[in-house]
């Protein structure tokens, strides 16, 4: 007999997370590692677990994540987005609390491209009058 699995894809900056929720004991594995090890900062850990906490499902699902691209912060945002989308597959009634907290919205802010003549996107070289 197949176990119910719920999938969600999350994106943030250049990071993409494929999230799978499986009924279980609440362990969270990111790229095969415990998520406390993958995201050592407490702020990122609370950010990742926020969707599960908002619908009171912590400890009821195992969260299995494959995440790639971007940096640590972008990956944490992508995982949070993916968990929220997977929770919608669990129960569509979760849409209201998840949407109110902004977990379903894809944060579309990206790094601005570098322009020629500048050091970064907006930082100009030091001006010299003489």
């Amino acid at each position: 007999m197949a176990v119910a699995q719920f999938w969600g894809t999350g994106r943030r900056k250049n990071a993409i997370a494929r999230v799978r929720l499986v009924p279980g004991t609440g362990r969270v594995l990111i790229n095969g590692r415990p998520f406390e090890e993958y995201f050592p900062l407490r702020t990122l850990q609370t950010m990742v677990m926020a969707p599960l906490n908002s619908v009171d499902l912590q400890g009821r699902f195992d969260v299995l994540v494959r995440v790639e691209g971007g940096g640590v912060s972008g990956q944490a945002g992508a995982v949070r987005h993916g968990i929220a989308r997977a929770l919608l597959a669990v129960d569509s009634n979760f849409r209201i609390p998840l949407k109110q907290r902004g977990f379903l919205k894809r944060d579309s802010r990206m790094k601005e491209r570098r322009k020629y003549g500048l050091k970064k996107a907006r930082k100009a070289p030091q001006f010299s009058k003489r």
Side-chain angles (χ1 to χ4, degrees):
M1 185 173 115
V3 177
Q5 296 183 37
F6 305 97
W7 289 87
T9 302
R11 294 181 182 89
R12 169 81 173 94
K13 293 187 176 179
N14 285 323
I16 299 172
R18 293 184 310 236
V19 177
R20 184 169 50 143
L21 296 181
V22 183
T25 59
R27 71 189 175 128
V28 181
L29 290 178
I30 300 178
N31 291 348
R33 292 164 44 194
F35 100 114
E36 292 87 1
E37 181 186 314
Y38 197 85
F39 295 123
L41 295 177
R42 192 82 185 123
T43 54
L44 295 179
Q45 291 175 13
T46 54
M47 181 174 144
V48 165
M49 296 307 287
L52 285 169
N53 294 336
S54 68
V55 292
D56 292 327
L57 285 182
Q58 64 274 27
R60 299 243 323 265
F61 285 98
D62 288 344
V63 183
L64 308 169
V65 182
R66 295 293 302 169
V67 64
E68 56 190 29
V72 180
S73 173
Q75 287 188 351
V79 171
R80 179 176 80 172
H81 189 220
I83 290 173
R85 282 183 162 184
L87 286 171
L88 278 186
V90 172
D91 187 354
S92 60
N93 294 328
F94 292 153
R95 176 174 282 282
I96 295 165
L98 291 172
K99 192 167 183 170
Q100 284 175 341
R101 291 175 178 84
F103 297 145
L104 297 177
K105 186 171 210 125
R106 198 267 200 227
D107 192 345
S108 61
R109 294 175 296 167
M110 299 288 277
K111 185 175 172 73
E112 192 174 338
R113 78 171 196 88
R114 182 185 167 273
K115 282 79 171 187
Y116 61 88
L118 301 180
K119 291 177 181 268
K120 293 184 354 186
R122 299 187 182 197
K123 181 177 180 172
Q126 186 173 13
F127 176 75
S128 172
K129 199 168 190 177
R130 286 180 243 306

